[in-house]
Amino acid sequence: MLDRDIRTYYDRGGERNRLDGTLELLRTKVLLDRLLPAPPASVLDVGGAFGVYATWLAGRGHRVKVVDPVPLHVESVRGKGIAADEADARELPEADASWDAVLVFGPLYHLLDRSDRVRAFAEARRVVRPGGVVLAATISRFASMYETLLNGMADYPEFVDLMRTDLATGIRRDTVHLADGFTTVYFHRPAELPDEVADAGLHLDDLYAVEGMTHWMPDIARRLSDPDDRALVLELAARTEREPSTLGATPHVLVAAHR
């Protein structure tokens, strides 16, 4: 189900602590609180990795199950008392219309072909109840350019070449060997998302800039550690989350849709 590069990244635990203390985590929780049905609801977490969101949602009273293609993730989630199955986002082992909400956080990052991304959206539609919400995370086409320019990587030709390819094709392959490298990934243009959602038979509600421009503040980690600064960062991100002109400048775009 996974190519070797992707499997290598996740088998080494690349997602175990990645979200710790991040704006991505804080803002995604804000959006989940607002967009999911009130607990107790049934939530299928597709690509749930080590269960960061699943355990948090279970603690808020939701009934949660994780589906993930990586055995390490499934074993870890089960060890936390959360139900989990090993499976692919494009072929979910779930009955039709059996969940109140479906999260697709991660799978769309690694589906390079449009047809596969539409298939993943369509599977989410199949298993969510009529009127149920589907929330999906994507990475912006321009995220790697901002990262290259703002983190000093523009001085390294190897990273500049990667950035050029990212911008031209949206596809980055076989970078798991790099220090702090991610893995094979697809960078969405925000304008691609409405048609992918529609072609899967879902109805788009909105696109949200998860972190927005605030992610690129040079001292963002320090600010998130201070309660007053953190409150201001979250306020500014929320104020601009639905502004179309910011969608290309955020690292992650959240798709909100319903069946």
Side-chain angles (χ1 to χ4, degrees), residues 108-109 111-114 117 137-149 159-160 162-172 185-193 196 211 216 246-254:
L108 297 177
Y109 302 170
L111 297 176
L112 307 185
D113 294 334
R114 184 184 188 277
R117 297 193 296 274
T138 66
I139 304 176
S140 169
R141 174 68 61 93
F142 311 103
S144 73
M145 180 185 73
Y146 293 125
E147 185 176 16
T148 299
L149 295 176
F159 281 104
V160 172
L162 284 174
M163 176 193 67
R164 288 174 174 142
T165 301
D166 297 342
L167 290 172
T169 69
I171 294 173
R172 180 183 292 189
V185 62
Y186 184 73
F187 298 100
H188 266 94
R189 291 183 183 274
E192 294 175 294
L193 290 165
E196 290 185 9
E211 306 97 332
W216 305 114
T246 69
L247 291 178
T250 183
H252 296 90
V253 177
L254 184 79

Side-chain angles (χ1 to χ4, degrees), residues 109-129:
Y109 302 170
H110 306 303
L111 297 176
L112 307 185
D113 294 334
R114 184 184 188 277
S115 61
D116 284 327
R117 297 193 296 274
V118 172
R119 185 177 171 188
F121 273 124
E123 273 292 271
R125 179 196 179 278
R126 179 183 66 80
V127 305
V128 78
R129 64 170 174 76

Side-chain angles (χ1 to χ4, degrees), residues 61-126:
H62 293 289
R63 178 173 67 85
V64 188
K65 179 180 178 181
V66 168
V67 174
D68 195 283
V70 179
L72 174 65
H73 295 165
V74 172
E75 179 182 358
S76 175
V77 170
R78 288 175 177 168
K80 297 172 182 176
I82 304 291
D85 280 339
E86 184 181 336
D88 190 292
R90 294 163 292 183
E91 192 172 353
L92 298 173
E94 305 296 322
D96 294 357
S98 54
W99 293 89
D100 294 326
V102 178
L103 310 182
V104 188
F105 289 179
L108 297 177
Y109 302 170
H110 306 303
L111 297 176
L112 307 185
D113 294 334
R114 184 184 188 277
S115 61
D116 284 327
R117 297 193 296 274
V118 172
R119 185 177 171 188
F121 273 124
E123 273 292 271
R125 179 196 179 278
R126 179 183 66 80

